[in-house]
Amino acid sequence: MNARQGRRAVVTGIGVVAPGGVGAEAFWKSVADGVGALDRVTREGCGHLPLKVAGEVRGFDPAAVIEERYLVQTDRFTHYAMAATTMALDDARLGRADVASPYSVGVVTAAGSGGGEFGQRELQNLWGQGSRYVGPYQSIAWFYAASTGQISIRGGFKGPCGVVAADESGGLDALAHAARTVGRGTGTVVVGAAEAPLAPYSVVCQLGYPELSTGEDPECAYLPFTSAARGFVPAEGGAMLVVEDEEAARRRDAPLRATVAGHAATFTGASRWDRSREGLARAIRGALEEAGCRPEEVDVVFADALGVAEADRAEALAIADALGAHGRRVPVTAPKTGTGRAYCGAPVLDAAAAVLAMENGLVPPTPNVHAHEVRHDLDLVTGRARPADLRTALVLSRGLMGTNAALVLRHGA
């Protein structure tokens, strides 16, 4: 999927801040073990709201990993992204000495909501105490592009930077944008998404989504592909990846963990789940074509798994439409049922999990969902992780506003 022949984009580093664990190792352990991290919402000011269950990041202290001068001017969603970036760069063994020029490193993030917690606090100060109590960073901290800007400033990265201000599937679009940026000549792109939608104002905004689950039992609130499906559970957190030119990564002996092989996206309209079947199938076919991948080569599918009966049916049919008979045999998983859907961060977490799954030869299970409950013609992995030789992973994502995306990852380079 590169503009310059011979330039392939590879993943060399992974950083994660998620409800299931902070750090790629902790995250993978929880995903592989099928641990459920959903719990009652504990954020201040949210107790009286109808949303009762969410995926909150626990045990994360931003002050321990981010300098004070950045903390005071950024929202929680940027704290997550900056911390995950540090982990990803360390994981890729990419230090300042390895960067030939600051113009050779770009940054791309995706965001669906921006900094709601920071913005709410400043607006409360405005109406409660007056304009003198509103800080100057209100103008930038809430903005969708804040994470991209702060990561590039903090790291001294001056290469192509951007933000995908988008629906949930924008997380996969950002990864594709990074890979194509590498294909056009940039050496390295730090890419991903992290969200923080659990502040009171942000939660109130989400209550308008008919697909949102207001279930009160963490083990039953988010059960896609079952007759008990009642919507999705939101989450905070996300992941950042280091994507590099393969040859440059080889020269510095970096770990070549996966190749970003193909991507495609479509639009079918807000909450038009009947149409998402065709749109998602088209995205899958487009991603496979760009990757030069036959349907039967797909070894695992990381499903979007919205948890809405009509949407789940559309996704199952889209997989069958695009992969043919193989679509009924290929292992399908949805680790996000254990962590919640972190909007743009959700598919990036799935992409990180896919890379780790291929490395470890394990298809992670779908937490809280039992095999006998599955109501669709899918080989949904439940209960415990399934050993498998995984060379190619297909990651799917749909957004509430009607976007569909598919990403093909290949193991190694």
Side-chain angles (χ1 to χ4, degrees), residues 110-302:
S113 58
E117 184 176 61
F118 194 107
Q120 177 178 337
R121 183 180 66 242
E122 296 301 298
L123 288 174
Q124 285 176 321
N125 290 343
L126 173 64
W127 296 113
Q129 301 178 73
S131 60
R132 292 185 179 181
Y133 293 86
V134 177
Y137 300 118
Q138 163 63 2
S139 61
I140 60 170
W142 69 271
F143 193 48
Y144 299 92
S147 294
T148 290
Q150 296 290 4
I151 290 169
S152 63
I153 292 169
R154 185 175 183 233
F157 305 138
K158 300 181 180 181
C161 291
V163 60
V164 180
D167 218 349
E168 183 169 20
S169 61
L172 295 188
D173 297 340
L175 292 175
H177 182 72
R180 289 166 183 147
T181 299
V182 168
R184 289 192 293 269
T186 299
T188 304
V189 179
V190 178
V191 58
E195 304 265 28
L198 300 182
Y201 170 76
S202 300
V203 171
V204 169
C205 290
Q206 294 167 76
L207 292 176
Y209 298 143
E211 297 89 354
L212 187 75
S213 171
T214 54
E216 298 188 16
D217 183 346
E219 294 186 1
C220 301
Y222 184 20
L223 300 173
F225 302 117
T226 74
S227 58
R230 57 188 304 172
F232 74 94
V233 168
E236 58 186 1
M240 297 295 295
L241 309 181
V242 175
V243 174
E244 297 185 63
D245 168 52
E246 179 191 353
E247 291 186 5
R250 287 187 184 279
R251 284 196 296 270
R252 65 179 193 83
D253 198 27
L256 308 182
R257 309 184 69 168
T259 301
V260 183
H263 165 271
T266 63
F267 177 77
T268 49
S271 296
R272 295 300 303 269
W273 303 118
D274 56 331
R275 294 185 178 181
S276 74
R277 172 184 178 178
E278 179 184 0
L280 185 59
R282 186 179 292 272
I284 294 170
R285 293 190 189 102
L288 293 176
E289 181 178 0
E290 188 170 65
C293 177
R294 300 189 306 275
E296 58 270 23
E297 292 181 68
V298 176
D299 298 312
V300 61
V301 176
F302 282 74

Side-chain angles (χ1 to χ4, degrees), residues 299-300 331 357-358 360-363 385-391:
D299 298 312
V300 61
M358 290 189 288
N360 289 276
L362 283 177
V363 179
R386 181 187 301 177
D389 181 19
L390 305 177
R391 306 299 304 175

Side-chain angles (χ1 to χ4, degrees), residues 33 36 42 78 101 130 179 202 220 232 238 245 256 264 283 332 344 378 400 409:
D33 291 344
T42 65
T78 299
S101 165
S202 300
C220 301
F232 74 94
D245 168 52
L256 308 182
V332 177
C344 282
L378 293 173
L400 299 176
L409 296 168

